[in-house]
Structure formats: structure tokens, C-alpha cells
Amino acid sequence: MATLKLLFLCYFFYLFLDLFSVTATSQKNITASPGQNVSLPCRVPNNKPAFIVKWTRPDLEPEYVLLYRDEQLDPEKQHPSYQNRVDLQDRQMKDGDVSLVLKNLTTNDRGTYECRVFQREANGRKRRTLTSDPISSIFLDVAPPAGELPVAPSFLQLLTC
């Protein structure tokens, strides 16, 4: 009887750990230069297919960097500065890979990016809530290469006569 109780407790402990791993957020810092392409990593912890993939930058309005649903990109709510510059690294999402590819970086791309994934319930009819916590949070720093000074906007430049 004690063995059965121990197995029962171990099972619930395992379920708790598994549940925690699905909602855990990984945080990373990535540094790149203007003009480069960069991949921001995000992986679905349980390797199950994603129904919706949402990459956002909370400091922007609209905040959508990329929205993938119904097996296609949805540019309707996307922030204009990301149109035609972003894609999923693998639209088939093999092994749970929902990494974002951001092309032709500019200094305006500097910021925190959040990845959220929504999956269908086991019965295939319902999807999980659309207010989930991010599973990946990445700070992207876009800085000019070492030795290059950033150019100030024209209204800040001082001309000497």
C-alpha cells in the first residue's frame, strides 16, 4: 500500500513539473548589427503543433511583429515596420520550432520580443486561452559595429561654420 501511495505522489509530482515547463519563460539577450538577419529562438516545450504563433513587442502599437494562424501569416494586425521582413524559421514547426526570423535589422528593431504559442486541446475542438504568458522573451540589441558612431538625426546635428 505504501508503494502505491509513493507511486501516486511521484505521478502527481511529475505532472506538476510538466505543467510548469509548459508555462516557463526563457529569457535571452541577442546583439546584432543593422542590415543583418537574425533568428530569435522559441520552441514549444511539448513539441506539439501550434495552432497560433504570436510574436509581439509590447512597447509598440500595434504590438504584433508576427501572427501565424490558420496555417498562414496574418499581416492585418502587424506593425507596419515588420511587414515583409519577418517569417517563421520553419512554418511546419518541426520539433516545436517557432523561431522568428527578422531580416534587414535597423536600430528601431531594438527591444523586447515575446513569443506565445496556442495549441488545440486534446479533443481538437477548443484552443487554449489567448492570454497565455510568453514562452520566450528576448531582448534584441541592434548596435552599429564597433568603431562606427551612430549618426544623429538631422535635427540634432550641429554644423560649424
Side-chain angles (χ1 to χ4, degrees), residues 34-88:
Q36 288 184 323
N37 296 344
V38 70
S39 177
L40 306 182
C42 185
R43 187 169 297 280
V44 181
N46 58 17
N47 287 344
K48 292 181 182 174
F51 177 64
I52 296 175
V53 177
K54 189 166 83 167
W55 276 93
T56 59
R57 258 190 62 192
D59 62 318
L60 295 179
E61 189 60 44
E63 67 177 4
Y64 287 103
V65 173
L66 178 140
L67 178 60
Y68 182 87
R69 64 179 172 186
D70 301 324
E71 299 181 4
Q72 61 186 356
L73 296 177
D74 182 355
E76 189 173 314
K77 296 179 182 179
Q78 185 180 40
H79 191 277
S81 69
Y82 292 101
Q83 289 182 349
N84 302 314
R85 293 196 312 124
V86 294
D87 204 346
L88 290 176

Side-chain angles (χ1 to χ4, degrees), residues 130-144:
L130 294 180
T131 58
S132 78
D133 292 328
I135 57 173
S136 181
S137 179
I138 298 170
F139 179 77
L140 176 63
D141 187 15
V142 182

Side-chain angles (χ1 to χ4, degrees), residues 7 17 57 73 128:
L7 284 173
L17 287 179
R57 258 190 62 192
L73 296 177
R128 292 184 184 174

Side-chain angles (χ1 to χ4, degrees), residues 9-156:
L9 286 173
C10 287
Y11 177 73
F12 278 108
F13 181 71
Y14 173 77
L15 286 177
F16 174 77
L17 287 179
D18 187 48
L19 184 66
F20 179 76
S21 70
V22 171
T23 58
T25 301
S26 70
Q27 296 183 337
K28 291 186 175 185
N29 293 326
I30 294 178
T31 302
S33 297
Q36 288 184 323
N37 296 344
V38 70
S39 177
L40 306 182
C42 185
R43 187 169 297 280
V44 181
N46 58 17
N47 287 344
K48 292 181 182 174
F51 177 64
I52 296 175
V53 177
K54 189 166 83 167
W55 276 93
T56 59
R57 258 190 62 192
D59 62 318
L60 295 179
E61 189 60 44
E63 67 177 4
Y64 287 103
V65 173
L66 178 140
L67 178 60
Y68 182 87
R69 64 179 172 186
D70 301 324
E71 299 181 4
Q72 61 186 356
L73 296 177
D74 182 355
E76 189 173 314
K77 296 179 182 179
Q78 185 180 40
H79 191 277
S81 69
Y82 292 101
Q83 289 182 349
N84 302 314
R85 293 196 312 124
V86 294
D87 204 346
L88 290 176
Q89 187 157 319
D90 179 7
R91 287 196 193 183
Q92 294 177 351
M93 300 176 230
K94 292 178 189 139
D95 300 320
D97 185 4
V98 291
S99 301
L100 176 75
V101 175
L102 180 52
K103 302 169 189 168
N104 194 20
L105 289 176
T106 71
T107 53
N108 292 331
D109 294 325
R110 183 178 194 268
T112 299
Y113 293 77
E114 296 179 342
C115 171
R116 289 176 171 80
V117 175
F118 309 97
Q119 298 171 310
R120 289 196 182 273
E121 294 290 334
N123 64 13
R125 287 188 220 143
K126 297 179 184 176
R127 61 181 177 227
R128 292 184 184 174
T129 178
L130 294 180
T131 58
S132 78
D133 292 328
I135 57 173
S136 181
S137 179
I138 298 170
F139 179 77
L140 176 63
D141 187 15
V142 182
E148 278 188 32
L149 294 175
V151 178
S154 59
F155 63 88
L156 293 178

